[in-house]
Amino acid sequence: RLKALRDTFERQYAVRSGDVEDRDVFGVYQEGRYCVVHALYFRAGRIVGSKAFSFARVEIPVEEMLSSFLLQFYRQDVPIPHEILIPFPLEDQDTLQDFLSEERGSRVSVHCPQRGDKRKLIELAERNAKNSFEESRLRQHAQQDLLDQARQVLGLFEAPERIECFDISTVQGDKPVGAMSVFVGGVPDKTRYRHYAIRHIRGQDDFAMLREVLLRRLQRAVEENDLPSLLLIDGGKGQLNVAITVLRDLGLEDLPVISIAKARPEEKRPGATQDRLFL
């Protein structure tokens, strides 16, 4: 009921945008390499229509994708409004604005509002983009595409349908616990999350505690025929070697395992992942 009321008020707000200008409003929603661009069309201050555009396996930054989309969109004999609102700044925004002004025969304003009523219109377009994404099959495709990328990067024989992630942590410097989080189909499955109280290790021996947690989890997984597709261990080479030893002791050498650690300061580069993966 709340959602229905909210949608109704949003439509009423959008219809009464408060002025008589013609404008197009664009919102973007992205998951992985899949995204949706949603356009709202206002003429004489009233919304006259909207449309969603879906894109799969986008290999370029979303800003570059939106710029390219707008350029192609307005080349298709589409009426160019006085104002175009976009959700984030574009590198070639001035060039795009000049091109559209020339095509229209009068000045066109392309800008990204940060607050106020125009920002609310952007947010409405973004929610519509997200709804379009979720109502289509794009989410399923995006998640599968993400798993396929993981398979290629990690050199796996098949996509990791279920990933079990392990970490050892302490609460206020005491009471160490092991934590397992689980991803199924590329999304968190919190019903499978588990905490393991450390029973047999005295002192702060992270390697020994990790061994205890992995043994308890994997022995049960073997008994219940419930092995994951991939183990992900928080830590570096040392933690990975502990996991490999546990798998060898249980006869599970074929179960893929990797570990993840923060990148060293000298390894950090703009635009690159800030983690190191050990295979």
Side-chain angles (χ1 to χ4, degrees), residues 175-195:
K175 300 178 182 177
V177 296
M180 179 181 77
S181 56
V182 182
F183 288 77
V184 177
V187 296
D189 182 357
K190 295 187 178 182
T191 64
R192 289 179 172 267
Y193 284 21
R194 297 290 184 272
H195 280 108

Side-chain angles (χ1 to χ4, degrees), residues 106-119:
S106 62
R107 179 168 176 77
V108 175
S109 172
V110 178
H111 69 108
C112 171
Q114 299 300 312
R115 59 183 65 86
D117 289 343
K118 291 182 179 181
R119 187 65 205 179

Side-chain angles (χ1 to χ4, degrees), residues 115-145:
R115 59 183 65 86
D117 289 343
K118 291 182 179 181
R119 187 65 205 179
K120 291 180 181 178
L121 293 177
I122 291 284
E123 292 169 355
L124 175 59
E126 289 177 329
R127 287 195 293 274
N128 286 343
K130 182 177 181 180
N131 289 339
S132 296
F133 186 95
E134 293 177 342
E135 290 170 1
S136 68
R137 296 179 59 84
L138 283 183
R139 178 180 293 276
Q140 180 180 347
H141 292 317
Q143 291 164 356
Q144 189 58 50
D145 181 62

